[in-house]
Structure formats: C-alpha cells, structure tokens
Amino acid sequence: MSRWHILGAGAIGSLIACRMEQSRCAYTLLHHHHGSSSRLVIDGQSSRQLCVQPLVDLPLASIDRLLLTTKAGQMAGALSLALPYLSDDAVIACTANGLGFENALGELLAGRRLHRAVSTAAAFKDSDAAVH
C-alpha cells in the first residue's frame, strides 16, 4: 500500500492522520519546522499520540502521495517547501479552509494535476494543542 504524506499537522491534518491510522493506511504526518513533535488527537472516548516529522528530514523525491492540509493562505508556501521532496509522478491533493489558492498552486505545479477536496469533518485544537 502506498504511503500518504500529510503536510500540515493542524486540526484537519491530524484528524486525517488519525483516521488513516484507524484504517491501517500508511501515512507520515509532516510539518515544515525543524525537530520532531507529537500531536494528541482525542476522538470520542479514545485518544492517540501521533508522531509529527519535519519535512526536511525526508530524502529528496521520496513523496509519491502528498496531501496538503494547511490553511488556504499557507498552501502555496507549503507546496513550495514540498516540491523538492515530490517524485516525478507524485499524486498531489489538498483540502483547505478557504478559497483562492488554486491559481498559485497551479503555477507552482507547472502542469502537474492537483486534486482538491472539501472537508466536511470538524476538528479543533484546544488550548493544550490537543485535536478534538
């Protein structure tokens, strides 16, 4: 099974990673900062601690499936950081809480196809940065 790399360890990215883990899908949750961290996801009555890895620790051209889950205004910056890590035939998908980022991403992708999604899942981070 192919691994998904989820760039954006906020509420939605962490929720998607949690759901992938529950479904036994291979994933890596990434952030663009240096240093590893973790994210607590509270899903109903259960909770999980997810490992969040820095994008810069990956080998170049190693991402075959990328899911961007940042805020709309951060999409282009996140994709710019991820470009060197994408394989030539990488699948690129995004879900964001806003509009207007498609043109900027299209320019960065230079002819690559972008799959866009709208999330109907609700998630939020509390004051302790736990995702609910």
Side-chain angles (χ1 to χ4, degrees):
M1 182 180 303
S2 295
R3 174 172 295 274
W4 276 95
H5 288 81
I6 304 166
L7 182 53
I12 294 298
S14 296
L15 178 64
I16 291 170
C18 182
R19 295 284 192 246
M20 287 182 135
E21 185 174 290
Q22 289 171 338
S23 300
R24 293 183 168 78
C25 292
Y27 75 91
T28 301
L29 185 58
L30 300 167
H31 61 77
H32 62 272
H33 309 287
H34 293 282
S36 297
S37 63
S38 63
R39 171 79 64 212
L40 177 64
V41 177
I42 301 169
D43 184 25
Q45 298 300 316
S46 64
S47 64
R48 289 185 164 70
Q49 197 75 25
L50 302 177
C51 178
V52 185
Q53 298 178 358
L55 175 66
V56 297
D57 285 356
L58 296 177
L60 297 178
S62 65
I63 296 177
D64 293 322
R65 296 176 185 264
L66 177 67
L67 176 60
L68 294 167
T69 61
T70 64
K71 291 179 172 41
Q74 299 171 340
M75 269 294 157
L79 181 58
S80 290
L81 293 172
L83 284 174
Y85 301 95
L86 297 177
S87 66
D88 289 338
D89 58 347
V91 174
I92 305 157
C94 67
T95 181
N97 63 345
L99 301 171
F101 59 86
E102 293 92 349
N103 290 340
L105 295 187
E107 291 173 13
L108 290 169
L109 291 172
R112 290 183 179 198
R113 188 169 179 192
L114 174 67
H115 302 276
R116 294 176 301 277
V118 175
S119 174
T120 59
F124 69 94
K125 289 191 295 186
D126 64 20
S127 60
D128 294 326
V131 176
H132 297 265

